[in-house]
Amino acid sequence: MSTPDRPVVDFWFDPACPWAWMTSRWMDEVSAIRDVEVRWHVMSLAVLNEGRDLPESYRAAMDAAWGPVRVIIAAARDHGDKVIKPLYDAMGSRRHPGGRTDTDAIIAESLAEVGLSADLAEVAGTDEVDDLLRESHQAGISLVGEDVGTPVVAIDGVGFFGPVITPAPTGDAAGRLFDGLVLMTSVPGFYELKRTRTAGPSF
């Protein structure tokens, strides 16, 4: 439970998304300099884009995105939510700053790094945990609507898509950005800020 001095931050990510990765690095920095409780959750770009008319290359990326989120959900089912963030860190560091796209190898190496059974990788190609995945996804997307992506960040239950940032702020800049987000979530009628991105993710 949150207190006025210790907000609860719920963070929904898809490990395929470089922008979610950038925001998660900022949240790690916030956790080091602000008294917050951060709870990590999976959302799915593949679920979000089901039934949409997508370019062929993006459709292929969405098809490949199922595996990692399924594995994280299965790991949390079997071992508790405490494994979500370490497994995300292991996968994301390989995919984003590491620049890798060999998803099966990323999954296998990440499970080994976190000390989880290699058998969990088998879930990637099945729908065994899809109900749990959709439940986790819906919990985040219900806060912000369908016309967004990942990440979704909620502070004490008030959620927004983003922030979308590059590079991830550190130190006092990270804290001030978080303080500003806390202020925005305190305004019931505040919905969005937006500007066109002119730079890609800087890992």
Side-chain angles (χ1 to χ4, degrees):
M1 171 171 282
S2 69
T3 69
D5 298 322
R6 192 170 195 265
V8 172
V9 179
D10 287 287
F11 191 112
W12 280 266
F13 65 88
D14 185 318
C17 179
W19 295 105
W21 178 256
M22 298 300 303
T23 308
S24 73
R25 300 310 92 183
W26 162 70
M27 186 53 61
D28 281 348
E29 187 78 5
V30 170
S31 297
I33 61 176
R34 292 290 188 270
D35 184 17
V36 297
E37 177 187 350
V38 183
R39 304 185 299 202
W40 299 89
H41 312 274
V42 175
M43 64 181 294
S44 170
L45 290 172
V47 171
L48 185 66
N49 284 286
E50 279 183 315
R52 296 182 179 178
D53 185 17
L54 303 174
E56 185 175 339
S57 60
Y58 194 65
R59 171 53 61 196
M62 292 301 94
D63 291 345
W66 283 100
V69 289
R70 284 168 167 164
V71 170
I72 295 175
I73 287 289
R77 175 198 63 186
D78 294 350
H79 301 285
D81 289 349
K82 65 183 181 296
V83 304
I84 293 176
K85 180 60 162 48
L87 195 49
Y88 175 40
D89 288 345
M91 290 183 181
S93 62
R94 288 167 169 81
R95 180 171 294 276
H96 300 302
R100 291 173 52 185
T101 57
D102 49 340
T103 300
D104 290 346
I106 288 172
I107 289 172
E109 292 173 18
S110 298
L111 288 170
E113 179 180 320
V114 179
L116 297 175
S117 170
D119 292 343
L120 283 167
E122 297 175 5
V123 176
T126 77
D127 62 2
E128 178 183 334
V129 296
D130 283 7
D131 287 347
L132 292 174
L133 172 59
R134 293 176 189 280
E135 181 182 330
S136 180
H137 173 86
Q138 187 58 35
I141 211 71
S142 67
L143 299 176
V144 294
E146 297 287 337
D147 297 323
V148 299
T150 175
V152 169
V153 176
I155 299 176
D156 292 334
V158 180
F160 288 93
F161 163 58
V164 176
I165 45 179
T166 186
T170 59
D172 186 56
R176 286 187 286 109
L177 175 58
F178 179 74
D179 296 342
L181 191 60
V182 170
L183 286 174
M184 288 189 296
T185 60
S186 72
V187 179
F190 179 82
Y191 287 98
E192 63 179 308
L193 288 172
K194 176 99 175 157
R195 64 174 175 167
T196 300
R197 292 195 300 263
T198 59
S202 175
F203 303 120

